[in-house]
Amino acid sequence: MSFAHEPVYNNKAPIFPPLLLSAVPQFLFTLSQVVSFGKKMLWVDKYRPKTLDQAIVHQDIAQNLKKLVTEQDCPHLLFYGPSGSGKKTLIIALLRQVFGPGAEKVKVENRTWKVDAGSRTIDLELTTLSSANHVELSPSDVGFQDRYIVQEIIKEMAKNRPIDTKGKRGYKVLVLNEVDKLSREAQHSLRRTMEKYSASCRLILCCNSSSKVTEAIRSRCLNVRINAPTEEEIVKVLEFIGKKEGLQLPSGFAARIAEKSNRSLRRAILSFETCRVQQYPFTSNQVIPPMDWEEYVAEIASDIMKEQSPKRLFQVRGKLYELLINCIPPEIVLKRLLYELLKRLDVELKHEICHWAAYYVTLCIVLP
Amino acid sequence: MAPVLQSSQPWVEKYRPKQVKDVAHQDEVVRVLTNTLETTNCPHMLFYGPPGTGKTTTALAIAHQLFGPELYKSRVLELNASDDRGINVVRTKIKDFAAVAVGSGQRQGGYPCPPYKIIILDEADSMTEDAQACWIIEPLASRCAKFRFKPLSEEIMTSRISYICKEEGLNLDAEALSTLSSISQGDLRRAITYLQGAARLYGSSISSKDLISVAGVIPVEVVEAHFSACRSGDFDVANKEVNNIIAEGYPVSLFLSQLFDLVVEAEDISDEQKARICKHFGEADKCLVDGADEYLQLLNVTSHVMRALCNMPEEFHYDT
């Protein structure tokens, strides 16, 4: 079976199925920035606030960030918060605030480096997004060799100091995504780099859970917490987009999308657009299409509830494999399965099952 | 156009003590090192202690004071975790550096310049294991004079921060000062980073509330709401609370430590209950450090706290 949301976009442009956008958000998010040059833009990109002043949610944080950079200087920053809360949007807007519109002219490069690691040479390949003043990369993409990225490449970038047209010394910004996925060694390597080259380079770190970032790094940054927007805020954004697109929204429609979005603005806008493609004008009882994989997990949950036998276990096993084959991370499957089971179980079993969920999710971790 | 930097050094760097005697609160180390400066006789040293207590600062300061800026480059090798420190590096780089002897010292520009070199191995514990085995662990540790760096006490912290405030023209009241030293828990670097962040955001007069928001401390109400949900014994209520905490983006490790304070100080919980709860805090903390999912860990802890508070059995009894 296929999990892709098929003919949603009438084959006009290669668009990523919403399913993947939610499951593997960070990586594709960067790509979707790039795809946006096409004629058909996803609403998520089209209505992304370009400047700090345009922000609809997180206005207070945006204003604070603006104050932070008006003195022509900024500390190292660590943005953390759940996915779809607007971290990246704020970072892009912040870069624009610092460097002007030039920061939006990014080029994507697939660069390879040869790193000399004593006895052997290691080839590292990484996608970078760069403008004249900033470079963005996700060091964790190279897996367990991320240490070399930090030790060699980031240090190299941090050392070189940009000189502007008037010959004055400036600083450049390195945006590092998913720092929570960096190995311990890589994080250790990062901390002295942050101090040593602080005169010429500012780091903006971005992650989902700051618990996984070592204390040493957190204490060197100004931490910025980006909370998930509330459902009311999501409704406000959806109504704003509806107005811009000239759409008629039946009352309560935006609220229903917001409710299903799990407080992720990105997901809300994506499903809003999917609704638009599926049926317009909207009707007040229109079904908000759930994600395929979520329905599939719900199916697994009810399978488990119906019958507890070796035969059923075998069937469920097959279905779980199906999910893994389609690149849904096991952590997310487990979490969703827990969510579905919690809806159906007795109180006493709820405690038990969340214990085992926590236990098995720890087993998913690959320790270096 | 790249923005121009004025005096934009982070304050942590700007106010890093340049001389050994300026290092705060570490009297023992300072005494030994001042002695070193006079006699130019320097033992191997191993500094250890929590972050932000001045280990790197002390090492850099002593090197600078011994050799001065001119000879510093040729006499001091600074290796830290941002350099590749596999076994090869330790073998070649350090040995090459150490093998070349230096001529006996002629004093230059008023610096002692003793006839030896210094290697600063910063963050030695995060070197690869092979490299450490090369000469660290027991053999290394036993060849070094060990110095423990204590977490800074509140007075020292306050005096240092007041000094920086005066230099930077900031206005902090007594309450803000004590808040700052308590949230940074003896880590001066963290305190200074918070201070600079707050100064950028809120201008020259900073209240304790501003500091709390910069430091990202979780509001007490959130922790209390969660705790009372646990007391209620209703799983779904607690689950909702957990979902909210995750959506608000509060770091779970921080949340656990704040909840821990609340549990330990609560007077109506028996010691046995507290012990049951704390055991699970410990386990969850370990899992989080290993990189486990925050939501599931917090939910698990929540369920255990609830079971302890409501005297539910720890183990589930399966009907046979």
Side-chain angles (χ1 to χ4, degrees):
Chain A
M1 67 174 286
S2 152
F3 278 94
H5 252 293
E6 224 98 55
V8 175
Y9 290 99
N10 310 330
N11 305 329
K12 266 185 195 158
I15 303 282
F16 301 101
L19 154 74
L20 283 177
L21 275 171
S22 81
V24 214
Q26 300 303 338
F27 175 63
L28 284 175
F29 196 26
T30 343
L31 276 184
S32 68
Q33 259 169 272
V34 180
V35 175
S36 62
F37 58 77
K39 272 181 206 153
K40 177 128 188 160
M41 269 165 93
L42 286 172
W43 288 354
V44 184
D45 294 314
K46 198 168 166 189
Y47 295 105
R48 186 196 300 282
K50 295 274 183 310
T51 63
L52 290 172
D53 288 323
Q54 286 172 9
I56 299 179
V57 292
H58 301 310
Q59 275 169 355
D60 44 341
I61 298 174
Q63 288 311 312
N64 275 343
L65 287 174
K66 204 174 155 190
K67 258 191 260 168
L68 203 63
V69 294
T70 41
E71 287 174 42
Q72 296 287 297
D73 178 24
C74 81
H76 297 306
L77 295 169
L78 171 66
F79 285 78
Y80 63 97
S83 68
S85 59
K87 299 181 291 296
K88 217 36 181 301
T89 306
L90 283 169
I91 292 175
I92 295 169
L94 180 72
L95 287 173
R96 193 193 147 105
Q97 180 78 34
V98 179
F99 297 115
E104 279 166 29
K105 289 188 197 114
V106 289
K107 65 170 189 275
V108 194
E109 276 175 294
N110 231 333
R111 291 167 66 175
T112 45
W113 284 276
K114 281 197 193 319
V115 176
D116 184 28
S119 50
R120 64 215 159 97
T121 335
I122 299 170
D123 283 314
L124 294 174
E125 221 183 297
L126 199 64
T127 311
T128 62
L129 232 80
S130 56
S131 76
N133 303 100
H134 89 280
V135 183
E136 179 186 332
L137 61 166
S138 313
S140 57
D141 285 353
V142 293
F144 64 97
Q145 286 168 332
D146 54 1
R147 183 161 65 97
Y148 297 106
I149 293 280
V150 176
Q151 283 174 343
E152 301 297 328
I153 292 146
I154 295 184
K155 219 164 96 180
E156 204 49 51
M157 288 175 178
K159 266 185 195 165
N160 299 325
R161 197 162 197 182
I163 294 179
D164 74 356
T165 41
K166 295 184 195 97
K168 286 174 190 153
R169 294 195 298 177
Y171 62 86
K172 65 165 101 177
V173 173
L174 273 176
V175 181
L176 302 185
N177 294 322
E178 301 181 316
V179 277
D180 48 349
K181 296 213 176 72
L182 282 182
S183 66
R184 205 74 57 75
E185 285 87 9
Q187 294 196 24
H188 277 306
S189 307
L190 199 55
R191 56 186 190 181
R192 190 69 187 130
T193 307
M194 293 171 80
E195 282 179 348
K196 231 173 162 175
Y197 306 108
S198 62
S200 57
C201 176
R202 295 289 178 279
L203 291 177
I204 297 183
L205 310 174
C206 181
C207 68
N208 282 132
S209 95
S210 81
S211 297
K212 292 179 201 166
V213 182
T214 65
E215 187 55 54
I217 290 183
R218 271 185 282 159
S219 84
R220 282 169 173 79
C221 296
L222 183 63
N223 295 10
V224 186
R225 178 174 62 87
I226 314 288
N227 59 324
T230 59
E231 284 178 16
E232 294 82 61
E233 283 171 326
I234 292 178
V235 169
K236 224 162 93 187
V237 173
L238 293 181
E239 278 168 355
F240 168 80
I241 293 176
K243 212 167 116 196
K244 286 269 176 181
E245 289 282 319
L247 302 174
Q248 289 292 324
L249 290 178
S251 69
F253 184 66
R256 278 201 299 139
I257 295 180
E259 193 192 330
K260 288 241 164 135
S261 68
N262 204 9
R263 288 180 71 180
S264 160
L265 188 53
R266 174 174 37 235
R267 180 162 170 189
I269 298 175
L270 281 170
S271 52
F272 185 39
E273 193 170 1
T274 315
C275 288
R276 162 76 180 82
V277 177
Q278 283 187 338
Q279 184 186 350
Y280 187 78
F282 299 125
T283 50
S284 52
N285 58 351
Q286 185 175 347
V287 184
I288 316 288
M291 306 254 191
D292 303 23
W293 69 273
E294 286 185 354
E295 288 210 311
Y296 201 62
V297 174
E299 214 177 291
I300 294 177
S302 52
D303 282 355
I304 295 173
M305 292 303 291
K306 257 183 236 147
E307 185 188 322
Q308 293 91 38
S309 64
K311 193 178 152 225
R312 187 44 65 91
L313 185 66
F314 183 71
Q315 283 170 358
V316 168
R317 176 176 176 270
K319 289 191 173 179
L320 288 175
Y321 265 115
E322 190 70 41
L323 284 167
L324 292 179
I325 289 166
N326 281 281
C327 291
I328 315 286
E331 245 183 38
I332 292 181
V333 175
L334 264 174
K335 253 158 86 172
R336 189 70 195 181
L337 190 59
L338 177 72
Y339 170 81
E340 293 292 345
L341 287 174
L342 284 181
K343 283 200 293 199
R344 298 172 166 86
L345 287 170
D346 307 337
V347 177
E348 205 174 346
L349 279 168
K350 280 182 185 172
H351 288 289
E352 192 65 12
I353 198 142
C354 84
H355 169 79
W356 289 114
Y359 174 77
Y360 284 113
V361 90
T362 346
L363 295 189
C364 295
I365 308 166
V366 187
L367 284 177
Chain B
M1 185 196 88
V4 185
L5 282 179
Q6 295 131 356
S7 56
S8 68
Q9 257 189 321
W11 293 353
V12 182
E13 293 297 319
K14 196 169 166 190
Y15 294 100
R16 199 190 270 281
K18 301 282 180 302
Q19 298 198 320
V20 174
K21 66 175 166 49
D22 295 338
V23 175
H25 198 55
Q26 316 294 353
D27 306 327
E28 223 178 289
V29 188
V30 171
R31 203 157 354 107
V32 173
L33 290 180
T34 335
N35 200 5
T36 302
L37 277 176
E38 280 158 17
T39 61
T40 70
N41 190 3
C42 180
H44 297 300
M45 283 176 288
L46 179 66
F47 296 161
Y48 64 104
T53 48
K55 299 181 293 294
T56 309
T57 305
T58 313
L60 290 177
I62 185 79
H64 271 289
Q65 276 187 284
L66 277 174
F67 298 112
E70 273 173 37
L71 275 177
Y72 182 83
K73 276 222 169 92
S74 63
R75 295 288 184 88
V76 179
L77 177 67
E78 193 192 336
L79 284 177
N80 57 57
S82 67
D83 303 300
D84 181 19
R85 294 188 305 189
I87 185 163
N88 285 317
V89 175
V90 174
R91 280 213 182 118
T92 56
K93 223 170 165 179
I94 297 182
K95 271 192 186 157
D96 286 354
F97 182 77
V100 184
V102 284
S104 64
Q106 56 278 71
R107 289 183 158 255
Q108 282 191 358
Y111 293 99
C113 301
Y116 50 76
K117 298 180 185 176
I118 289 185
I119 299 174
I120 301 174
L121 276 177
D122 209 351
E123 295 142 23
D125 49 356
S126 62
M127 291 202 303
T128 63
E129 223 157 271
D130 287 346
Q132 283 195 26
C134 215
W135 65 330
I136 202 176
I137 326 177
E138 266 309 293
L140 182 92
S142 68
R143 284 179 178 82
C144 291
K146 279 184 256 183
F147 294 104
R148 190 182 123 72
F149 279 62
K150 298 165 279 193
L152 302 184
S153 72
E154 204 148 304
E155 300 98 73
I156 304 281
M157 198 89 128
T158 318
S159 78
R160 192 73 200 159
I161 289 165
S162 317
Y163 168 76
I164 294 176
C165 289
K166 212 175 73 201
E167 291 285 302
E168 295 289 336
L170 296 178
N171 218 340
L172 252 73
D173 53 27
E175 192 200 344
L177 264 180
S178 76
T179 311
L180 186 54
S181 21
S182 70
I183 50 180
S184 46
Q185 292 169 339
D187 181 343
L188 189 57
R189 178 178 43 228
R190 194 145 44 129
I192 298 175
T193 313
Y194 290 159
L195 186 67
Q196 189 171 18
R200 287 262 176 64
L201 291 178
Y202 305 104
S204 60
S205 67
I206 299 164
S207 70
S208 81
K209 220 179 103 201
D210 300 337
L211 286 169
I212 286 177
S213 80
V214 168
V217 177
I218 301 168
V220 189
E221 304 87 62
V222 176
V223 187
E224 272 168 0
H226 175 267
F227 194 49
S228 59
C230 288
R231 278 174 193 272
S232 76
D234 187 330
F235 189 90
D236 293 330
V237 172
N239 188 15
K240 219 174 132 203
E241 219 37 76
V242 170
N243 270 316
N244 185 43
I245 289 162
I246 299 294
E248 286 296 317
Y250 295 118
V252 171
S253 54
L254 181 66
F255 180 84
L256 285 182
S257 81
Q258 286 188 242
L259 184 63
F260 171 74
D261 290 341
L262 205 67
V263 168
V264 170
E265 280 163 24
E267 279 165 7
D268 54 338
I269 306 176
S270 74
D271 285 353
E272 196 198 326
Q273 284 172 321
K274 282 184 186 175
R276 257 173 86 174
I277 294 173
C278 290
K279 182 174 162 250
H280 293 292
F281 280 168
E283 284 170 7
D285 197 50
K286 154 89 170 86
C287 293
L288 285 173
V289 170
D290 287 347
D293 183 81
E294 291 195 304
Y295 167 75
L296 291 175
Q297 290 303 323
L298 184 57
L299 189 63
N300 188 26
V301 166
T302 307
S303 134
H304 281 290
V305 171
M306 187 184 286
R307 276 186 266 180
L309 288 178
C310 304
N311 288 314
M312 294 184 224
E314 181 83 354
E315 298 291 326
F316 179 73
H317 297 288
Y318 298 93
D319 299 324
T320 44

